[in-house]
Amino acid sequence: MNEPIPVHLLTGFLGSGKTTLLNHLLKSPEFADCAVLVNEFGEVGVDHHLIEAVQGEVVLLPSGCICCTVRGDLTEAMRSLHAQRDAGTVPAFRRLVIETTGLADPTPVLSTLMHERVIRHHFRVGSVITTVDAVNATDTLARFPEAAKQVAVADRLIVTKTDLAAPEAVQALRERLACLNALAVVHESGGQALAAGALLGDEGGEASAGARHAVPERGPLGVHRSLVQAPPGAPGGIASFALELEHGVDWTVFGVWLSLLLHTHGQRVLRVKGLLHVQGAERPVVVHGVQHLIHPPEHLPAWPPGERRSRLVFITQGIAPDLIRRSLAAFLHTLSTAPA
């Protein structure tokens, strides 16, 4: 059975440099085994690079990258592209990049990848890459909830135009981004193109890698306090915080709690991801949820050196971190002491 193809989502608000970044990636030799779904060819300015029509709206670029437009349903576009791959009418790409519009909410795309059965069989979530304009981001984040959400769900944040902004402004923006998303890896791009390999990371391992580096403050019952929270007036009421559990947890108990949480508050839980120490399991379990949906759990090959604790990072909108913290602590305590 073939391994699912990692899907990287490229998003960012209008004018944040997403088009520039995508054009760079499309020309990179590192993308020779990549397929890219874009909204319109004209928007990314690749028309003069097209050298061979493969089928319909699918084209092959000089780098070897496959590029096609999304003019209708994303699910159908992904199914069609994979079918052409199997039929040999397009090269056998091993990764897919989806570029969203500047005003798009990324969570529906993530939900499609995690929920739609046919898509989930062939593809898996890789990284969410969000571009942020160092010059205009402060105003944009304050005015547009879409921009804040794009930042909140990112695995990698690309701060663009840093060569045009004052150093203190860039630092202030980085601090604000940390309040929205403490888990994301931040890169700065000030006129120099970033390496494609650095952007894609380890093809989907970012979800657990970020959580391993969180060092939250201890709280009661082994549940750690907030890693970082949005200050008063943060855009969209979005907060990022981490919970850490000292002892192994019962998978069934935890699964019931997380399912109930997302069923009740799914619209306000933008993402939850991290590592879980399950009782009786030698390897860590990767937990990854988007709003109402939970990605099928996966086991990592081994724990990071010196680590054997559950670390979960939540990115929420309009829900108090204390509510989740107290709920988990109470749920674990109640069910662990309940009679069989």
Side-chain angles (χ1 to χ4, degrees), residues 2-59:
N2 294 329
E3 288 292 322
I5 297 170
V7 180
H8 303 283
L9 188 61
L10 176 60
T11 186
F13 201 71
L14 299 168
S16 63
K18 182 167 77 297
T19 297
T20 301
L21 177 62
L22 181 58
N23 272 313
H24 165 67
L25 296 179
L26 291 176
K27 299 173 187 176
S28 172
E30 295 176 88
F31 263 55
D33 53 1
C34 179
V36 180
L37 286 174
V38 299
N39 294 292
E40 294 287 345
F41 282 138
E43 292 183 6
V44 295
V46 297
D47 298 83
H48 60 290
H49 296 303
L50 307 184
I51 60 171
E52 178 185 349
V54 179
Q55 181 176 335
E57 294 179 342
V58 180
V59 297

Side-chain angles (χ1 to χ4, degrees), residues 170-212:
V170 174
Q171 180 58 33
L173 175 59
R174 290 183 68 113
E175 292 172 0
R176 189 165 191 181
L177 295 177
C179 291
L180 289 171
N181 187 343
L183 193 61
V185 177
V186 180
H187 297 274
E188 293 186 11
S189 175
Q192 293 185 340
L194 296 171
L199 291 175
L200 299 182
D202 55 2
E203 302 286 10
E206 301 298 331
S208 58
R212 292 200 294 265

Side-chain angles (χ1 to χ4, degrees), residues 126-208:
S127 299
V128 180
I129 305 165
T130 301
T131 53
V132 182
D133 181 351
V135 177
N136 300 306
T138 300
D139 179 64
T140 299
L141 291 171
R143 294 177 55 199
F144 299 98
E146 300 90 347
K149 196 172 242 187
Q150 291 167 357
V151 168
V153 301
D155 295 296
R156 292 181 179 271
L157 294 170
I158 313 301
V159 181
T160 62
K161 307 178 187 178
T162 53
D163 54 330
L164 304 178
E168 56 271 20
V170 174
Q171 180 58 33
L173 175 59
R174 290 183 68 113
E175 292 172 0
R176 189 165 191 181
L177 295 177
C179 291
L180 289 171
N181 187 343
L183 193 61
V185 177
V186 180
H187 297 274
E188 293 186 11
S189 175
Q192 293 185 340
L194 296 171
L199 291 175
L200 299 182
D202 55 2
E203 302 286 10
E206 301 298 331
S208 58

Side-chain angles (χ1 to χ4, degrees), residues 3 16 23 30 36 58 66 84 101 103 122 124 138 146 203 206 222 226 229 232 243 265 269-270 274 290 322 336 340:
E3 288 292 322
S16 63
N23 272 313
E30 295 176 88
V36 180
V58 180
I66 307 161
Q84 292 177 66
T101 63
L103 293 172
H122 297 300
R124 63 179 175 85
T138 300
E146 300 90 347
E203 302 286 10
E206 301 298 331
S226 176
Q229 291 180 214
L243 303 180
H265 301 289
V269 180
L270 302 184
V290 176
D322 279 345
S336 64

Side-chain angles (χ1 to χ4, degrees), residues 82-119:
H82 195 276
Q84 292 177 66
R85 178 183 185 269
D86 284 348
T89 56
V90 300
F93 57 89
R94 69 179 184 90
R95 63 167 70 97
L96 174 65
V97 173
I98 299 174
E99 178 260 352
T100 71
T101 63
L103 293 172
D105 178 353
T107 52
V109 179
L110 294 173
S111 296
T112 296
L113 295 174
M114 296 168 63
H115 178 68
E116 212 280 338
R117 288 187 177 182
V118 176
I119 296 298

